[in-house]
Amino acid sequence: MAGDINEGSVPSYYREVHQAICSRTDERVPISVFLRVLSRTSLSITVQNQITEHVNNGDGFLSKVLLYKGLALIALAQQGKPPSPKLLENFIQEFPKPQLGEPKELQSLKMQSVQESPLILSLTLAELLKKDTIKVELIPEKKGLFLKHVEYQVTSERFTVSVYRRYSDFDVFHELLLQRYAYRAVPALPPKRALKGVLTSMSEREFIEGRRRALGRFLNLVARHPVFSEDELVKIFLTFSGSDVQPKLRDACKKMGDEFMTCKYATQAKDYLPADIQSQFSSSRELIRNVHSSFQKLRDRAERMAERSKENATDLLMFGKELSSLGSDESPVPLLASCKSPWAALRHSVKGLSVEFSLLSEKAAQQGRREEDDVVEKLNLFLDLLQSYRDLCERHEKGVLHEHQRALQKYSVMKRQMMSATVQPKEQVSVEQLESRIVQQENAIQAMELRNYFSLFCLHQESQLIFTYLPITSHILGAFVDSQVQGHKEMGEVWQDLHSKLKSLFGDGNGRSAPLSPK
C-alpha cells in the first residue's frame, strides 16, 4: 500500500473510532477530541505532542485521513517505535491497531469539556495585562522627630481601592512572596538607598522617582502573575488599609505555608513533566538569556534618546532666553556715516522669537517624557520579568538541586556506615540509631525529590510566562514609533510657524529672506 491511507487500507477499528468521535455535521474530528483520545494512552507528553504536530493542519479539525494517520502513529508509538510518518510510507502490512479501548467508550469524549494539563498556561498577553493595573504615586513627605519618610499611594484598578505604603511594607511583602513562592519568578525590589557614589551622578529626587517607578513595575508584574494574583498576600497588600499591614502579611503567610504545601499538583508534578524537561529547560534558559541581553541594549539606547530629548529641551530654552536677552538690550545704536543700521527696529522682533523657542523647548521636554514613560518604562518592565526568571534559575540550581545532592551524599555515607556495622559487630543501640537515621534520610530525600520535580514544574510554567510576555515587543515598538511621530509633528508645526514669522520679520526684498526658504 506504500503508505496510502484510505478506507480500504486501514483496519475496521479505525473506521469504528472515526464513527464514534467525528462531528455530527460532517466527517471531521475536532482536534480537541483527538487530544482527549491521545490522553487515554500511556504515551509521554512529548510523544503526544509529536503525534499532534504530524496531524494538526491548524484549522481545529482532523479529516478522516488525518485521523487514520494519527491512530496509526499512536499504534506505532505504543509498540515503542518513533511516531514518524516516514514509517507509514514504507508500510506494506495492515496498519497496527492502537490500544484505546472499545470505540463505543470513546463516544463520551465528544461531550467532555477540555481538560488541559495543569502544566500548561493558556493565558494570552492581553489577558495578563487585563488582570490589574497598579499605580504607585508619591505622597507629601512626612517628617518624624528625627527622620523623614517617603510614603506611596498604591491604587489597584482590580480592587478599586487606594492604600498607603512605606518602603518597609514593600520589603516585607517581597520577603514573604519569596518564602511562599520560592519556585516562582518573584520580581526584585529596587534598593532602599542609593549605592555609594550613585548620588554623585543623580539627585536624591531622581533616585526617589526611579525607585517609585521600579516599585510600580514590581507590583504590576506581581498583580498580573497567573499564580500570585490569586494569593491572599497580594490581596492584603493591595487592599488592607490598617497601619499594621506587616503583621497582617506575616500571619497570613504563616497560616498558608509555601506553595509546595498548598498546591494540589505538588506531589504529582513528575507525572505532568515532559520526558525531556531538562533539555527544554536548558534551551529556554539560553534563549531567554539572549533575549535579556538584547532588551538591555534596547533599553540603554532608549534611555539615551530620552535624555537627548531633555537636553534638547534645555538647549532650546536657553537659546530662546539668549535671543530675549539680545533683544532686550536698550543700548542706543550709534549713527555711522557709512551705513544705516536696522538693528534698533529689529531687536524687539528678535526678543519676541523667544516665545517660539520656549514652546519648542516644551515640546521637546514632552517628547522626552513620552519616550521615558511609554518606551523606557515598558522595556524596564519586561527586563524586570526577565531578570526575575534568571534569578529563579539560579535559585533552582543553587537551592533545590544542591540540597538534593547533599542529601544523597549524606545518605551514601550512612549506608556505608551501616554496612560497616553489620560486618563489624557493634552495640545494638548504635545500629538501631543508624537504621533510624537512614529511614529519616530516605524520607528527606523523597521529599526533596518531590520538591525538585515541583520546582521543574514551576520553572516550566515561568518559562511559558516569559514567552507569553514576548509579544510586548510590538507594544514597545508601537509606543516608540508613536512617540516619534507625535513629537516630530508637534515640533514641526512650531518650526513652521517660526519659519513664517522669520520671513515676515526679516524678508525686506534685498535677498535676506532667501536662507529662510525651503531648499
Side-chain angles (χ1 to χ4, degrees):
M1 73 186 62
D4 293 332
I5 301 179
N6 51 54
E7 285 283 340
S9 65
V10 298
S12 59
Y13 182 79
Y14 283 40
R15 293 188 289 274
E16 291 172 7
V17 170
H18 172 261
Q19 190 64 33
I21 64 176
C22 70
S23 301
R24 294 179 179 178
T25 55
D26 56 32
E27 292 186 337
R28 297 184 303 169
V29 175
I31 187 67
S32 58
V33 175
F34 179 73
L35 292 176
R36 291 172 212 158
V37 171
L38 267 176
S39 67
R40 290 173 62 92
T41 68
S42 58
L43 301 174
S44 69
I45 294 177
T46 303
V47 172
Q48 291 182 37
N49 290 339
Q50 290 173 352
I51 294 172
T52 304
E53 187 176 333
H54 290 316
V55 299
N56 189 6
N57 59 10
D59 67 354
F61 292 90
L62 300 185
S63 66
K64 184 188 293 187
V65 171
L66 283 176
L67 173 66
Y68 292 164
K69 180 179 179 180
L71 294 175
L73 292 175
I74 290 173
L76 290 174
Q78 288 177 330
Q79 293 176 1
K81 300 175 183 177
S84 171
K86 291 184 178 180
L87 289 179
L88 302 180
E89 293 175 4
N90 302 319
F91 229 81
I92 57 176
Q93 301 174 349
E94 185 178 66
F95 288 112
K97 176 182 174 182
Q99 304 300 315
L100 300 173
E102 290 297 322
K104 290 183 179 180
E105 298 175 2
L106 302 178
Q107 289 181 349
S108 60
L109 297 179
K110 290 194 294 185
M111 307 302 295
Q112 292 178 7
S113 58
V114 178
Q115 295 290 331
E116 291 188 343
S117 167
L119 184 66
I120 305 302
L121 291 180
S122 57
L123 291 171
T124 64
L125 176 60
E127 289 169 335
L128 287 173
L129 297 179
K130 281 181 183 178
K131 277 184 170 290
D132 202 352
T133 297
I134 310 291
K135 291 184 179 179
V136 177
E137 302 292 344
L138 284 169
I139 62 173
E141 294 177 355
K142 291 184 177 181
K143 294 187 178 182
L145 293 175
F146 303 103
L147 298 171
K148 63 178 183 179
H149 300 290
V150 177
E151 280 197 298
Y152 305 92
Q153 183 180 28
V154 177
T155 306
S156 164
E157 283 188 7
R158 175 187 176 189
F159 296 108
T160 62
V161 66
S162 293
V163 293
Y164 297 97
R165 298 285 181 259
R166 286 169 52 178
Y167 181 87
S168 59
D169 300 327
F170 282 90
D171 195 29
V172 170
F173 178 51
H174 179 258
E175 172 196 334
L176 297 177
L177 276 179
L178 275 174
Q179 287 180 20
R180 176 147 167 71
Y181 294 104
Y183 311 126
R184 299 281 181 186
V186 178
L189 275 185
K192 182 177 182 179
R193 295 183 178 86
L195 301 175
K196 286 185 178 180
V198 172
L199 286 181
T200 59
S201 60
M202 69 163 66
S203 68
E204 183 180 5
R205 180 176 296 179
E206 288 175 323
F207 170 74
I208 291 174
E209 170 59 16
R211 189 174 67 181
R212 179 196 68 81
R213 288 176 177 269
L215 291 173
R217 296 194 301 269
F218 163 75
L219 282 184
N220 275 293
L221 287 173
V222 168
R224 293 166 180 170
H225 191 281
V227 177
F228 303 158
S229 59
E230 305 304 319
D231 194 88
E232 184 67 17
L233 289 177
V234 174
K235 183 178 180 181
I236 291 173
F237 188 84
L238 295 178
T239 63
F240 184 71
S241 58
S243 59
D244 56 341
V245 65
Q246 294 183 24
K248 186 85 172 174
L249 288 167
R250 292 188 189 280
D251 288 344
C253 187
K254 188 175 181 180
K255 291 176 182 177
M256 290 184 289
D258 76 338
E259 186 186 12
F260 180 80
M261 303 301 294
T262 57
C263 179
K264 63 181 180 180
Y265 302 112
T267 57
Q268 306 161 15
K270 181 181 179 181
D271 299 335
Y272 297 108
L273 293 174
D276 57 346
I277 181 62
Q278 291 292 354
S279 62
Q280 286 191 32
F281 167 55
S282 297
S283 59
S284 295
R285 186 179 186 181
E286 181 63 26
L287 176 57
I288 291 170
R289 184 188 292 119
N290 295 337
V291 170
H292 185 253
S293 176
S294 295
F295 268 82
Q296 277 185 319
K297 294 172 184 176
L298 288 172
R299 189 272 315 279
D300 292 345
R301 294 294 176 181
E303 280 184 338
R304 289 177 61 185
M305 294 176 69
E307 195 59 37
R308 283 201 298 270
S309 294
K310 294 176 184 177
E311 292 173 355
N312 188 32
T314 301
D315 290 340
L316 287 167
L317 184 62
M318 295 308 298
F319 193 94
K321 285 183 177 180
E322 290 301 328
L323 285 177
S324 178
S325 177
L326 180 65
S328 299
D329 187 357
E330 298 294 340
S331 302
V333 179
L335 295 174
L336 301 176
S338 60
C339 67
K340 183 178 179 181
S341 173
W343 177 243
L346 289 178
R347 62 184 174 185
H348 294 293
S349 300
V350 169
K351 179 181 179 180
L353 296 179
S354 64
V355 175
E356 278 74 16
F357 279 95
S358 177
L359 185 56
L360 283 169
S361 172
E362 181 183 328
K363 297 297 184 184
Q366 290 175 357
Q367 171 74 359
R369 287 193 293 270
R370 276 194 299 268
E371 290 168 345
E372 198 169 55
D373 296 342
D374 299 340
V375 182
V376 176
E377 267 304 289
K378 286 186 173 70
L379 285 165
N380 277 327
L381 178 81
F382 191 46
L383 280 170
D384 288 350
L385 179 64
L386 291 170
Q387 185 59 52
S388 69
Y389 178 83
R390 297 187 67 178
D391 293 343
L392 172 64
C393 292
E394 289 189 14
R395 285 203 305 275
H396 172 75
E397 292 185 337
K398 294 180 179 179
V400 178
L401 287 182
H402 183 65
E403 289 178 6
H404 190 204
Q405 289 170 355
R406 286 181 59 187
L408 288 173
Q409 290 172 357
K410 186 176 179 181
Y411 178 72
S412 178
V413 170
M414 288 181 178
K415 291 290 285 184
R416 286 198 297 270
Q417 290 175 346
M418 189 65 187
M419 291 176 64
S420 175
T422 56
V423 174
Q424 301 176 4
K426 294 187 177 181
E427 295 182 8
Q428 185 65 24
V429 175
S430 63
V431 174
E432 290 177 353
Q433 288 177 346
L434 191 55
E435 288 177 344
S436 176
R437 288 172 55 199
I438 289 176
V439 171
Q440 291 176 0
Q441 191 65 14
E442 287 174 343
N443 292 335
I445 290 173
Q446 185 178 11
M448 286 181 187
E449 287 179 346
L450 290 174
R451 282 186 174 270
N452 180 46
Y453 286 122
F454 184 62
S455 179
L456 286 170
F457 179 95
C458 295
L459 259 173
H460 194 73
Q461 289 191 328
E462 298 303 303
S463 301
Q464 294 174 64
L465 183 64
I466 297 295
F467 290 113
T468 302
Y469 260 97
L470 264 175
I472 203 172
T473 307
S474 63
H475 296 213
I476 295 168
L477 291 175
F480 173 67
V481 173
D482 289 345
S483 70
Q484 297 303 312
V485 169
Q486 185 176 350
H488 284 82
K489 178 183 177 183
E490 291 179 354
M491 292 191 72
E493 291 172 351
V494 180
W495 282 117
Q496 189 62 45
D497 292 342
L498 183 59
H499 183 271
S500 301
K501 189 173 182 178
L502 286 173
K503 287 184 70 175
S504 66
L505 289 175
F506 298 107
D508 59 1
N510 294 322
R512 276 177 280 185
S513 63
L516 302 176
S517 302
K519 292 183 180 181

